[in-house]
Amino acid sequence: MADIIEITEKEPAIAFGKEEKKLLTDPINENNPITVQVLGVCSALAVTTLLNKAIVMGIAVMLVTAFSNLFTSLLRNYIPKQIRMIVQLVIIAFLVTVVELFLKAYNYPIWKELSVFIGLIITNCIVMGRLEAFAMANKPWRSFLDGLGNGFGYAVILVIVAFIRELFGKGSLFNYKIIGPTAEYALNTSQIGWLHWYVPNNLMILAPAAMFVLGVLIWLQRTKYKKLVDIS
Amino acid sequence: MGNSSVIKFTLIMTVIVAFVLALLVSGLKPIHNVNESVYNKKGILSAVSEQLGKDVNALSNQEVQDIFANQITVQALNTEGKIVSDDEISSMTNGLAKTAADVDFALEAKKPEGERLLPLYTFKAKDGKDYNIMYVRGKGLWDEIWGYITLQPDWKTIAGEAFDHKGETPGLGAEIKDNKAWFSQFTGRKLYNEKGDFQSLEIVKGGVKQPDYQVDAISGATITGKGVQEMLQRGLKYYDPYIKSKFSNQMESDTVHQMMNDTIK
Amino acid sequence: MGDLLNIFIKSAFIENMALSYFLGMCSFLAVSKSVKTALGLGVAVIFVLGLTIPMNWLIDHYLLGETGLFKLDLTFLRFIIFISTIAALVQLVEMVVEKFSPSLYNSLGIFLPLITVNCAILGASLFMITKEYNFSQSVSFGLGGGFGWALAIVAIAAIREKMSYSNVPAPLRGLGMAFILTGLMGMAFMGLMGIDPAAF
């Protein structure tokens, strides 16, 4: 694994140098968990019909990856090898439950809309993948940053996909009408949209569209970064 | 590492995790309960949002509670359209609810027809008029759908409506909740024809021919549309006897009025 | 009986776990390069779903619910208990298969650990709760969901095998194309939406 960087004991526990910055920024583009590592796709598709759903989901995943990486890294020398996987899963499931309880208390409508997909963060391969690949072998602070970075990389893709799907599927952003006719599909009819001739394309809201949008995003990314191209 | 240390680790972890979660749940449970009840109440208020003159989603929890305390009363009906007294409510719900306000009507809708209780909410608008809200529940494409239908004070014309669903497809069936242009078609439609007979609404494809009793379908959501139509036909029928009794009262008071006028002359 | 058949058909075709909800996509995209491996993973998923869904149903009803063993509402432990059950059951299945059928283990074995983090398994467990199924319905739902998932991955793998002879633009090759193919397949499956299984 290229991203496991051994650090010497002399370094302070919490430092923020070049390498730490790389941990944060790498997963946003060249090592993006969704478009490059193909992890955690399931929820990327289901929650991206509306921008605010995608943002809440992105933040939830960021918190879970960051803190599960932190806790696993803190416990890495104590976790018995035989039950490693179950322990990791319990840590993740615990954090997801905490996130769910808070979301249910502070934003009930969004909780209601995300329904089972909050629970599915547990099996979001990004979280599990980072624990195995990074947190089990690195110190807490670096693991935390790595988790934060990967969660953020995930959230960025989620927001981009949701932006495209909501804008062209409903003609709105954050439920505010932007383009298309004002009367139809408008959740807030007092807003006047431009491009009145545009009829919102319902296909964008349906699940397959998320697949197309992601496919095209990967296409664009690989056109720009030639080294990511699949040779097979 | 030996088995004993594995067991020790598992035990400690389980205890810590369970303890923290239990603590959180007991702390947040009251907020969850308030949120849930406000969410359901907002669903009901959406059916009178026009009469209320406010965006229901923008209301705070306190405002919702206040409106419910001051402007809304609820009565329970049985499926024959009779108002059920508090004693009967507690016997019909096995003591779960004591007054009509505590009945879980979503649960009631799952009971066999004869044992069911239906809510009738009355919203007292600022202008002093009473708007009655009826509750219907049915099946969409994937899962349950439900709705609240508000009647004008004349008991014949629809004054407002709100639909919700458990898992319809976003962009298709879910439009019954999201697309105001679609559901506001119901406003102004009639449930009773000139003779005073119950005539529920139809959801039709390709253009409305009888504007009083028909609503245009959502394209691509045929099954959900059929579900809404079936839900309205079956669900509103339960209220029919009660509404009919209101008609005859109205007519009686009209004739009494007439007779009094005649005698004065 | 007809009701159970309905749920099977519905969960296999109409509400296909992979193509309507896009669950289990990580392994779906990673293992769908050849039909043979796809079939192996598919069979493993049917096996595990058929076992874990009823198992989780029993746990949810007799341990976590208010009417369960502890007379307490322990549903907040659902995520932790469900995922632990899945992980434990997968491990158990792996051990049993290894002991009694080494040939099956050789073909299935490598896929089993992958399945724990397959969101189709946890997703189906959570859907089973929101859909309020009873025990026999949950068995049918688990088997149907597994069958549908297996069908989808085998079908995609077959197309991807053929895809290698096509002239796809280089940056779209592999992953990008797999996404678009899955999207097209999902659209095809949407055509089944609205079919009433009771009519069969």
Side-chain angles (χ1 to χ4, degrees), chain A residues 35 38 40 42 45 97 119-120 122-123 125 206-208 211-212 218 222 230, chain C residues 22-23 25-26 76 79-80 117 119 123 170-171 174-175 179-180 183-184 190:
Chain A
T35 59
V38 213
C42 335
L45 303 160
T97 314
L120 288 182
I122 298 170
T123 45
C125 328
L206 302 177
M211 280 288 180
F212 299 143
I218 292 172
R222 291 188 180 183
D230 238 329
Chain C
F22 293 111
L23 292 182
M25 271 298 134
C26 313
F76 64 91
F79 293 159
I80 295 181
V117 284
C119 23
L175 191 58
F179 270 106
I180 291 181
L184 287 172
M190 279 181 71

PDB file of all heavy atoms in Angstrom, chain A residues 35 38 40 42 45 97 119-120 122-123 125 206-208 211-212 218 222 230, chain C residues 22-23 25-26 76 79-80 117 119 123 170-171 174-175 179-180 183-184 190:
ATOM      1  N   THR A  35     -14.723   7.243  -7.511  1.00  0.00           N
ATOM      2  CA  THR A  35     -14.452   7.126  -8.940  1.00  0.00           C
ATOM      3  C   THR A  35     -13.175   6.352  -9.242  1.00  0.00           C
ATOM      4  O   THR A  35     -13.009   5.867 -10.348  1.00  0.00           O
ATOM      5  CB  THR A  35     -14.361   8.516  -9.603  1.00  0.00           C
ATOM      6  OG1 THR A  35     -13.316   9.237  -8.966  1.00  0.00           O
ATOM      7  CG2 THR A  35     -15.657   9.263  -9.493  1.00  0.00           C
ATOM      8  N   VAL A  38     -13.609   2.732  -6.453  1.00  0.00           N
ATOM      9  CA  VAL A  38     -14.944   2.111  -6.553  1.00  0.00           C
ATOM     10  C   VAL A  38     -15.417   1.538  -5.230  1.00  0.00           C
ATOM     11  O   VAL A  38     -15.744   0.359  -5.124  1.00  0.00           O
ATOM     12  CB  VAL A  38     -15.016   0.979  -7.584  1.00  0.00           C
ATOM     13  CG1 VAL A  38     -16.396   0.976  -8.204  1.00  0.00           C
ATOM     14  CG2 VAL A  38     -13.960   1.068  -8.589  1.00  0.00           C
ATOM     15  N   GLY A  40     -18.091   2.125  -1.867  1.00  0.00           N
ATOM     16  CA  GLY A  40     -19.226   2.878  -1.334  1.00  0.00           C
ATOM     17  C   GLY A  40     -20.130   3.470  -2.379  1.00  0.00           C
ATOM     18  O   GLY A  40     -20.632   4.577  -2.232  1.00  0.00           O
ATOM     19  N   CYS A  42     -23.074   2.221  -3.438  1.00  0.00           N
ATOM     20  CA  CYS A  42     -24.516   2.021  -3.223  1.00  0.00           C
ATOM     21  C   CYS A  42     -25.208   3.287  -2.774  1.00  0.00           C
ATOM     22  O   CYS A  42     -26.159   3.754  -3.381  1.00  0.00           O
ATOM     23  CB  CYS A  42     -24.796   0.978  -2.165  1.00  0.00           C
ATOM     24  SG  CYS A  42     -23.523  -0.209  -1.917  1.00  0.00           S
ATOM     25  N   LEU A  45     -25.737   6.379  -4.995  1.00  0.00           N
ATOM     26  CA  LEU A  45     -26.780   6.387  -5.998  1.00  0.00           C
ATOM     27  C   LEU A  45     -28.125   6.719  -5.393  1.00  0.00           C
ATOM     28  O   LEU A  45     -28.918   7.441  -5.975  1.00  0.00           O
ATOM     29  CB  LEU A  45     -26.840   5.018  -6.642  1.00  0.00           C
ATOM     30  CG  LEU A  45     -25.495   4.633  -7.238  1.00  0.00           C
ATOM     31  CD1 LEU A  45     -25.408   3.154  -7.437  1.00  0.00           C
ATOM     32  CD2 LEU A  45     -25.294   5.374  -8.524  1.00  0.00           C
ATOM     33  N   THR A  97     -24.872   4.445  14.539  1.00  0.00           N
ATOM     34  CA  THR A  97     -26.040   4.593  15.413  1.00  0.00           C
ATOM     35  C   THR A  97     -26.032   5.961  16.081  1.00  0.00           C
ATOM     36  O   THR A  97     -27.069   6.623  16.172  1.00  0.00           O
ATOM     37  CB  THR A  97     -26.057   3.489  16.486  1.00  0.00           C
ATOM     38  OG1 THR A  97     -25.786   2.247  15.853  1.00  0.00           O
ATOM     39  CG2 THR A  97     -27.390   3.417  17.177  1.00  0.00           C
ATOM     40  N   GLY A 119     -28.257   3.646   7.807  1.00  0.00           N
ATOM     41  CA  GLY A 119     -27.754   2.368   8.317  1.00  0.00           C
ATOM     42  C   GLY A 119     -26.756   1.737   7.372  1.00  0.00           C
ATOM     43  O   GLY A 119     -25.812   1.078   7.795  1.00  0.00           O
ATOM     44  N   LEU A 120     -26.942   1.991   6.085  1.00  0.00           N
ATOM     45  CA  LEU A 120     -26.061   1.347   5.107  1.00  0.00           C
ATOM     46  C   LEU A 120     -24.669   1.961   5.067  1.00  0.00           C
ATOM     47  O   LEU A 120     -23.793   1.438   4.386  1.00  0.00           O
ATOM     48  CB  LEU A 120     -26.700   1.380   3.721  1.00  0.00           C
ATOM     49  CG  LEU A 120     -27.886   0.436   3.566  1.00  0.00           C
ATOM     50  CD1 LEU A 120     -28.432   0.487   2.170  1.00  0.00           C
ATOM     51  CD2 LEU A 120     -27.484  -0.986   3.909  1.00  0.00           C
ATOM     52  N   ILE A 122     -22.764   1.624   7.352  1.00  0.00           N
ATOM     53  CA  ILE A 122     -21.976   0.556   7.978  1.00  0.00           C
ATOM     54  C   ILE A 122     -21.277  -0.276   6.913  1.00  0.00           C
ATOM     55  O   ILE A 122     -20.096  -0.604   7.036  1.00  0.00           O
ATOM     56  CB  ILE A 122     -22.880  -0.368   8.817  1.00  0.00           C
ATOM     57  CG1 ILE A 122     -23.532   0.424   9.932  1.00  0.00           C
ATOM     58  CG2 ILE A 122     -22.093  -1.535   9.373  1.00  0.00           C
ATOM     59  CD1 ILE A 122     -24.607  -0.341  10.644  1.00  0.00           C
ATOM     60  N   THR A 123     -22.031  -0.633   5.872  1.00  0.00           N
ATOM     61  CA  THR A 123     -21.432  -1.488   4.854  1.00  0.00           C
ATOM     62  C   THR A 123     -20.852  -0.673   3.718  1.00  0.00           C
ATOM     63  O   THR A 123     -20.510  -1.222   2.684  1.00  0.00           O
ATOM     64  CB  THR A 123     -22.456  -2.473   4.295  1.00  0.00           C
ATOM     65  OG1 THR A 123     -23.658  -1.768   4.037  1.00  0.00           O
ATOM     66  CG2 THR A 123     -22.718  -3.597   5.247  1.00  0.00           C
ATOM     67  N   CYS A 125     -18.166   0.468   1.809  1.00  0.00           N
ATOM     68  CA  CYS A 125     -16.836  -0.148   1.780  1.00  0.00           C
ATOM     69  C   CYS A 125     -15.725   0.858   2.060  1.00  0.00           C
ATOM     70  O   CYS A 125     -14.628   0.470   2.444  1.00  0.00           O
ATOM     71  CB  CYS A 125     -16.574  -0.827   0.458  1.00  0.00           C
ATOM     72  SG  CYS A 125     -18.017  -1.514  -0.305  1.00  0.00           S
ATOM     73  N   LEU A 206     -34.502   9.352 -11.428  1.00  0.00           N
ATOM     74  CA  LEU A 206     -34.554   7.900 -11.273  1.00  0.00           C
ATOM     75  C   LEU A 206     -33.149   7.322 -11.089  1.00  0.00           C
ATOM     76  O   LEU A 206     -32.167   7.898 -11.542  1.00  0.00           O
ATOM     77  CB  LEU A 206     -35.232   7.280 -12.498  1.00  0.00           C
ATOM     78  CG  LEU A 206     -36.643   7.799 -12.759  1.00  0.00           C
ATOM     79  CD1 LEU A 206     -37.208   7.200 -14.020  1.00  0.00           C
ATOM     80  CD2 LEU A 206     -37.549   7.470 -11.584  1.00  0.00           C
ATOM     81  N   ALA A 207     -33.111   6.152 -10.447  1.00  0.00           N
ATOM     82  CA  ALA A 207     -31.827   5.575 -10.064  1.00  0.00           C
ATOM     83  C   ALA A 207     -30.828   5.375 -11.219  1.00  0.00           C
ATOM     84  O   ALA A 207     -29.653   5.682 -11.049  1.00  0.00           O
ATOM     85  CB  ALA A 207     -32.071   4.268  -9.321  1.00  0.00           C
ATOM     86  N   PRO A 208     -31.242   4.881 -12.392  1.00  0.00           N
ATOM     87  CA  PRO A 208     -30.238   4.635 -13.429  1.00  0.00           C
ATOM     88  C   PRO A 208     -29.432   5.875 -13.792  1.00  0.00           C
ATOM     89  O   PRO A 208     -28.261   5.773 -14.148  1.00  0.00           O
ATOM     90  CB  PRO A 208     -31.066   4.157 -14.622  1.00  0.00           C
ATOM     91  CG  PRO A 208     -32.288   3.609 -14.041  1.00  0.00           C
ATOM     92  CD  PRO A 208     -32.577   4.443 -12.840  1.00  0.00           C
ATOM     93  N   MET A 211     -26.158   6.255 -12.188  1.00  0.00           N
ATOM     94  CA  MET A 211     -25.141   5.416 -12.819  1.00  0.00           C
ATOM     95  C   MET A 211     -24.524   6.126 -14.020  1.00  0.00           C
ATOM     96  O   MET A 211     -23.306   6.139 -14.190  1.00  0.00           O
ATOM     97  CB  MET A 211     -25.793   4.110 -13.297  1.00  0.00           C
ATOM     98  CG  MET A 211     -25.973   3.113 -12.198  1.00  0.00           C
ATOM     99  SD  MET A 211     -24.355   2.481 -11.782  1.00  0.00           S
ATOM    100  CE  MET A 211     -24.671   1.351 -10.524  1.00  0.00           C
ATOM    101  N   PHE A 212     -25.398   6.718 -14.854  1.00  0.00           N
ATOM    102  CA  PHE A 212     -24.885   7.411 -16.043  1.00  0.00           C
ATOM    103  C   PHE A 212     -24.006   8.590 -15.629  1.00  0.00           C
ATOM    104  O   PHE A 212     -22.917   8.779 -16.173  1.00  0.00           O
ATOM    105  CB  PHE A 212     -26.038   7.919 -16.917  1.00  0.00           C
ATOM    106  CG  PHE A 212     -26.932   6.822 -17.428  1.00  0.00           C
ATOM    107  CD1 PHE A 212     -28.301   7.007 -17.533  1.00  0.00           C
ATOM    108  CD2 PHE A 212     -26.406   5.597 -17.791  1.00  0.00           C
ATOM    109  CE1 PHE A 212     -29.117   5.993 -17.994  1.00  0.00           C
ATOM    110  CE2 PHE A 212     -27.214   4.574 -18.256  1.00  0.00           C
ATOM    111  CZ  PHE A 212     -28.575   4.775 -18.355  1.00  0.00           C
ATOM    112  N   ILE A 218     -16.466   9.563 -14.324  1.00  0.00           N
ATOM    113  CA  ILE A 218     -15.243   8.762 -14.407  1.00  0.00           C
ATOM    114  C   ILE A 218     -14.567   8.975 -15.762  1.00  0.00           C
ATOM    115  O   ILE A 218     -13.342   9.133 -15.852  1.00  0.00           O
ATOM    116  CB  ILE A 218     -15.578   7.275 -14.188  1.00  0.00           C
ATOM    117  CG1 ILE A 218     -16.020   7.056 -12.746  1.00  0.00           C
ATOM    118  CG2 ILE A 218     -14.398   6.389 -14.519  1.00  0.00           C
ATOM    119  CD1 ILE A 218     -16.556   5.688 -12.471  1.00  0.00           C
ATOM    120  N   ARG A 222     -10.837  10.447 -16.166  1.00  0.00           N
ATOM    121  CA  ARG A 222      -9.776   9.653 -16.791  1.00  0.00           C
ATOM    122  C   ARG A 222      -9.271  10.268 -18.083  1.00  0.00           C
ATOM    123  O   ARG A 222      -8.167   9.968 -18.511  1.00  0.00           O
ATOM    124  CB  ARG A 222     -10.270   8.233 -17.025  1.00  0.00           C
ATOM    125  CG  ARG A 222     -10.427   7.538 -15.706  1.00  0.00           C
ATOM    126  CD  ARG A 222     -10.731   6.097 -15.816  1.00  0.00           C
ATOM    127  NE  ARG A 222     -10.855   5.599 -14.449  1.00  0.00           N
ATOM    128  CZ  ARG A 222     -11.063   4.351 -14.148  1.00  0.00           C
ATOM    129  NH1 ARG A 222     -11.173   3.449 -15.086  1.00  0.00           N
ATOM    130  NH2 ARG A 222     -11.156   3.977 -12.895  1.00  0.00           N
ATOM    131  N   ASP A 230      -7.943   2.355 -17.252  1.00  0.00           N
ATOM    132  CA  ASP A 230      -7.918   0.902 -17.154  1.00  0.00           C
ATOM    133  C   ASP A 230      -7.223   0.345 -18.385  1.00  0.00           C
ATOM    134  O   ASP A 230      -7.641   0.619 -19.505  1.00  0.00           O
ATOM    135  CB  ASP A 230      -9.381   0.399 -17.175  1.00  0.00           C
ATOM    136  CG  ASP A 230      -9.687  -0.398 -15.949  1.00  0.00           C
ATOM    137  OD1 ASP A 230      -8.756  -1.030 -15.437  1.00  0.00           O
ATOM    138  OD2 ASP A 230     -10.850  -0.394 -15.520  1.00  0.00           O
TER     139      ASP A 230
ATOM    140  N   PHE C  22     -29.702  -0.498  -6.266  1.00  0.00           N
ATOM    141  CA  PHE C  22     -28.250  -0.411  -6.414  1.00  0.00           C
ATOM    142  C   PHE C  22     -27.528  -0.726  -5.116  1.00  0.00           C
ATOM    143  O   PHE C  22     -26.630  -0.008  -4.695  1.00  0.00           O
ATOM    144  CB  PHE C  22     -27.847   0.959  -6.956  1.00  0.00           C
ATOM    145  CG  PHE C  22     -28.320   1.171  -8.358  1.00  0.00           C
ATOM    146  CD1 PHE C  22     -29.304   2.082  -8.649  1.00  0.00           C
ATOM    147  CD2 PHE C  22     -27.804   0.408  -9.388  1.00  0.00           C
ATOM    148  CE1 PHE C  22     -29.766   2.239  -9.955  1.00  0.00           C
ATOM    149  CE2 PHE C  22     -28.258   0.568 -10.677  1.00  0.00           C
ATOM    150  CZ  PHE C  22     -29.236   1.485 -10.971  1.00  0.00           C
ATOM    151  N   LEU C  23     -27.930  -1.807  -4.484  1.00  0.00           N
ATOM    152  CA  LEU C  23     -27.238  -2.231  -3.267  1.00  0.00           C
ATOM    153  C   LEU C  23     -26.183  -3.286  -3.623  1.00  0.00           C
ATOM    154  O   LEU C  23     -26.346  -4.050  -4.563  1.00  0.00           O
ATOM    155  CB  LEU C  23     -28.224  -2.821  -2.268  1.00  0.00           C
ATOM    156  CG  LEU C  23     -29.217  -1.833  -1.676  1.00  0.00           C
ATOM    157  CD1 LEU C  23     -30.118  -2.524  -0.672  1.00  0.00           C
ATOM    158  CD2 LEU C  23     -28.487  -0.694  -1.002  1.00  0.00           C
ATOM    159  N   MET C  25     -23.134  -2.643  -4.583  1.00  0.00           N
ATOM    160  CA  MET C  25     -22.479  -2.240  -5.821  1.00  0.00           C
ATOM    161  C   MET C  25     -20.967  -2.462  -5.806  1.00  0.00           C
ATOM    162  O   MET C  25     -20.368  -2.712  -6.849  1.00  0.00           O
ATOM    163  CB  MET C  25     -22.750  -0.758  -6.099  1.00  0.00           C
ATOM    164  CG  MET C  25     -24.002  -0.529  -6.893  1.00  0.00           C
ATOM    165  SD  MET C  25     -23.887  -1.290  -8.493  1.00  0.00           S
ATOM    166  CE  MET C  25     -25.447  -2.099  -8.592  1.00  0.00           C
ATOM    167  N   CYS C  26     -20.324  -2.362  -4.626  1.00  0.00           N
ATOM    168  CA  CYS C  26     -18.865  -2.509  -4.603  1.00  0.00           C
ATOM    169  C   CYS C  26     -18.456  -3.849  -5.175  1.00  0.00           C
ATOM    170  O   CYS C  26     -17.687  -3.936  -6.118  1.00  0.00           O
ATOM    171  CB  CYS C  26     -18.313  -2.403  -3.177  1.00  0.00           C
ATOM    172  SG  CYS C  26     -18.943  -1.042  -2.260  1.00  0.00           S
ATOM    173  N   PHE C  76     -32.473   0.460  19.180  1.00  0.00           N
ATOM    174  CA  PHE C  76     -31.308   1.283  18.852  1.00  0.00           C
ATOM    175  C   PHE C  76     -30.046   0.431  18.682  1.00  0.00           C
ATOM    176  O   PHE C  76     -29.050   0.890  18.152  1.00  0.00           O
ATOM    177  CB  PHE C  76     -31.082   2.371  19.919  1.00  0.00           C
ATOM    178  CG  PHE C  76     -30.753   1.845  21.288  1.00  0.00           C
ATOM    179  CD1 PHE C  76     -29.442   1.649  21.671  1.00  0.00           C
ATOM    180  CD2 PHE C  76     -31.769   1.566  22.197  1.00  0.00           C
ATOM    181  CE1 PHE C  76     -29.146   1.170  22.927  1.00  0.00           C
ATOM    182  CE2 PHE C  76     -31.468   1.087  23.451  1.00  0.00           C
ATOM    183  CZ  PHE C  76     -30.157   0.882  23.823  1.00  0.00           C
ATOM    184  N   PHE C  79     -28.472  -1.861  14.395  1.00  0.00           N
ATOM    185  CA  PHE C  79     -27.342  -1.870  13.460  1.00  0.00           C
ATOM    186  C   PHE C  79     -26.237  -2.796  13.952  1.00  0.00           C
ATOM    187  O   PHE C  79     -25.695  -3.601  13.210  1.00  0.00           O
ATOM    188  CB  PHE C  79     -26.765  -0.456  13.294  1.00  0.00           C
ATOM    189  CG  PHE C  79     -27.682   0.502  12.609  1.00  0.00           C
ATOM    190  CD1 PHE C  79     -27.508   1.860  12.769  1.00  0.00           C
ATOM    191  CD2 PHE C  79     -28.706   0.046  11.798  1.00  0.00           C
ATOM    192  CE1 PHE C  79     -28.343   2.763  12.124  1.00  0.00           C
ATOM    193  CE2 PHE C  79     -29.552   0.937  11.155  1.00  0.00           C
ATOM    194  CZ  PHE C  79     -29.363   2.294  11.333  1.00  0.00           C
ATOM    195  N   ILE C  80     -25.878  -2.624  15.228  1.00  0.00           N
ATOM    196  CA  ILE C  80     -24.756  -3.388  15.766  1.00  0.00           C
ATOM    197  C   ILE C  80     -25.068  -4.880  15.748  1.00  0.00           C
ATOM    198  O   ILE C  80     -24.258  -5.700  15.313  1.00  0.00           O
ATOM    199  CB  ILE C  80     -24.438  -2.902  17.196  1.00  0.00           C
ATOM    200  CG1 ILE C  80     -23.945  -1.461  17.126  1.00  0.00           C
ATOM    201  CG2 ILE C  80     -23.427  -3.804  17.850  1.00  0.00           C
ATOM    202  CD1 ILE C  80     -23.589  -0.877  18.444  1.00  0.00           C
ATOM    203  N   VAL C 117     -19.443  -7.269   3.990  1.00  0.00           N
ATOM    204  CA  VAL C 117     -19.589  -5.834   3.737  1.00  0.00           C
ATOM    205  C   VAL C 117     -20.373  -5.554   2.464  1.00  0.00           C
ATOM    206  O   VAL C 117     -20.319  -4.464   1.926  1.00  0.00           O
ATOM    207  CB  VAL C 117     -18.225  -5.116   3.677  1.00  0.00           C
ATOM    208  CG1 VAL C 117     -17.666  -4.931   5.056  1.00  0.00           C
ATOM    209  CG2 VAL C 117     -17.265  -5.852   2.786  1.00  0.00           C
ATOM    210  N   CYS C 119     -23.525  -4.416   0.903  1.00  0.00           N
ATOM    211  CA  CYS C 119     -24.665  -3.714   1.509  1.00  0.00           C
ATOM    212  C   CYS C 119     -25.994  -4.365   1.180  1.00  0.00           C
ATOM    213  O   CYS C 119     -26.987  -4.093   1.837  1.00  0.00           O
ATOM    214  CB  CYS C 119     -24.710  -2.228   1.193  1.00  0.00           C
ATOM    215  SG  CYS C 119     -23.861  -1.732  -0.264  1.00  0.00           S
ATOM    216  N   GLY C 123     -28.733  -4.177   3.831  1.00  0.00           N
ATOM    217  CA  GLY C 123     -29.858  -3.441   3.254  1.00  0.00           C
ATOM    218  C   GLY C 123     -31.131  -4.264   3.294  1.00  0.00           C
ATOM    219  O   GLY C 123     -32.183  -3.785   3.708  1.00  0.00           O
ATOM    220  N   ALA C 170     -10.951   4.918 -24.673  1.00  0.00           N
ATOM    221  CA  ALA C 170     -10.045   4.443 -23.630  1.00  0.00           C
ATOM    222  C   ALA C 170     -10.399   4.901 -22.215  1.00  0.00           C
ATOM    223  O   ALA C 170     -10.420   4.086 -21.299  1.00  0.00           O
ATOM    224  CB  ALA C 170      -8.613   4.824 -23.987  1.00  0.00           C
ATOM    225  N   PRO C 171     -10.699   6.192 -21.988  1.00  0.00           N
ATOM    226  CA  PRO C 171     -10.959   6.604 -20.605  1.00  0.00           C
ATOM    227  C   PRO C 171     -12.237   5.994 -20.027  1.00  0.00           C
ATOM    228  O   PRO C 171     -12.422   5.950 -18.823  1.00  0.00           O
ATOM    229  CB  PRO C 171     -11.100   8.129 -20.704  1.00  0.00           C
ATOM    230  CG  PRO C 171     -10.562   8.505 -22.026  1.00  0.00           C
ATOM    231  CD  PRO C 171     -10.774   7.330 -22.910  1.00  0.00           C
ATOM    232  N   GLY C 174     -13.596  -0.232 -18.945  1.00  0.00           N
ATOM    233  CA  GLY C 174     -13.578  -0.815 -17.606  1.00  0.00           C
ATOM    234  C   GLY C 174     -14.673  -0.235 -16.738  1.00  0.00           C
ATOM    235  O   GLY C 174     -15.858  -0.357 -17.026  1.00  0.00           O
ATOM    236  N   LEU C 175     -14.232   0.483 -15.695  1.00  0.00           N
ATOM    237  CA  LEU C 175     -15.164   0.970 -14.691  1.00  0.00           C
ATOM    238  C   LEU C 175     -16.261   1.873 -15.246  1.00  0.00           C
ATOM    239  O   LEU C 175     -17.447   1.673 -14.979  1.00  0.00           O
ATOM    240  CB  LEU C 175     -14.363   1.715 -13.632  1.00  0.00           C
ATOM    241  CG  LEU C 175     -15.130   2.062 -12.389  1.00  0.00           C
ATOM    242  CD1 LEU C 175     -15.674   0.805 -11.757  1.00  0.00           C
ATOM    243  CD2 LEU C 175     -14.225   2.791 -11.435  1.00  0.00           C
ATOM    244  N   PHE C 179     -20.395   1.183 -15.165  1.00  0.00           N
ATOM    245  CA  PHE C 179     -21.430   2.031 -14.572  1.00  0.00           C
ATOM    246  C   PHE C 179     -22.568   2.264 -15.565  1.00  0.00           C
ATOM    247  O   PHE C 179     -23.742   2.125 -15.239  1.00  0.00           O
ATOM    248  CB  PHE C 179     -20.840   3.393 -14.181  1.00  0.00           C
ATOM    249  CG  PHE C 179     -20.299   3.423 -12.787  1.00  0.00           C
ATOM    250  CD1 PHE C 179     -18.931   3.426 -12.550  1.00  0.00           C
ATOM    251  CD2 PHE C 179     -21.157   3.444 -11.704  1.00  0.00           C
ATOM    252  CE1 PHE C 179     -18.438   3.451 -11.258  1.00  0.00           C
ATOM    253  CE2 PHE C 179     -20.668   3.484 -10.416  1.00  0.00           C
ATOM    254  CZ  PHE C 179     -19.296   3.478 -10.197  1.00  0.00           C
ATOM    255  N   ILE C 180     -22.185   2.615 -16.796  1.00  0.00           N
ATOM    256  CA  ILE C 180     -23.214   2.943 -17.778  1.00  0.00           C
ATOM    257  C   ILE C 180     -24.034   1.711 -18.127  1.00  0.00           C
ATOM    258  O   ILE C 180     -25.265   1.772 -18.239  1.00  0.00           O
ATOM    259  CB  ILE C 180     -22.555   3.599 -19.009  1.00  0.00           C
ATOM    260  CG1 ILE C 180     -22.057   4.980 -18.562  1.00  0.00           C
ATOM    261  CG2 ILE C 180     -23.525   3.715 -20.175  1.00  0.00           C
ATOM    262  CD1 ILE C 180     -21.402   5.798 -19.609  1.00  0.00           C
ATOM    263  N   GLY C 183     -26.464   1.102 -15.422  1.00  0.00           N
ATOM    264  CA  GLY C 183     -27.560   2.062 -15.536  1.00  0.00           C
ATOM    265  C   GLY C 183     -28.571   1.631 -16.582  1.00  0.00           C
ATOM    266  O   GLY C 183     -29.782   1.660 -16.344  1.00  0.00           O
ATOM    267  N   LEU C 184     -28.075   1.187 -17.754  1.00  0.00           N
ATOM    268  CA  LEU C 184     -28.977   0.747 -18.827  1.00  0.00           C
ATOM    269  C   LEU C 184     -29.790  -0.463 -18.377  1.00  0.00           C
ATOM    270  O   LEU C 184     -30.994  -0.558 -18.606  1.00  0.00           O
ATOM    271  CB  LEU C 184     -28.170   0.390 -20.076  1.00  0.00           C
ATOM    272  CG  LEU C 184     -27.597   1.587 -20.844  1.00  0.00           C
ATOM    273  CD1 LEU C 184     -26.656   1.122 -21.928  1.00  0.00           C
ATOM    274  CD2 LEU C 184     -28.732   2.404 -21.445  1.00  0.00           C
ATOM    275  N   MET C 190     -36.584  -1.340 -14.854  1.00  0.00           N
ATOM    276  CA  MET C 190     -37.689  -0.453 -14.459  1.00  0.00           C
ATOM    277  C   MET C 190     -38.945  -0.766 -15.253  1.00  0.00           C
ATOM    278  O   MET C 190     -40.052  -0.446 -14.829  1.00  0.00           O
ATOM    279  CB  MET C 190     -37.294   1.007 -14.676  1.00  0.00           C
ATOM    280  CG  MET C 190     -36.462   1.540 -13.546  1.00  0.00           C
ATOM    281  SD  MET C 190     -36.060   3.244 -13.826  1.00  0.00           S
ATOM    282  CE  MET C 190     -37.653   3.967 -13.580  1.00  0.00           C
TER     283      MET C 190
END
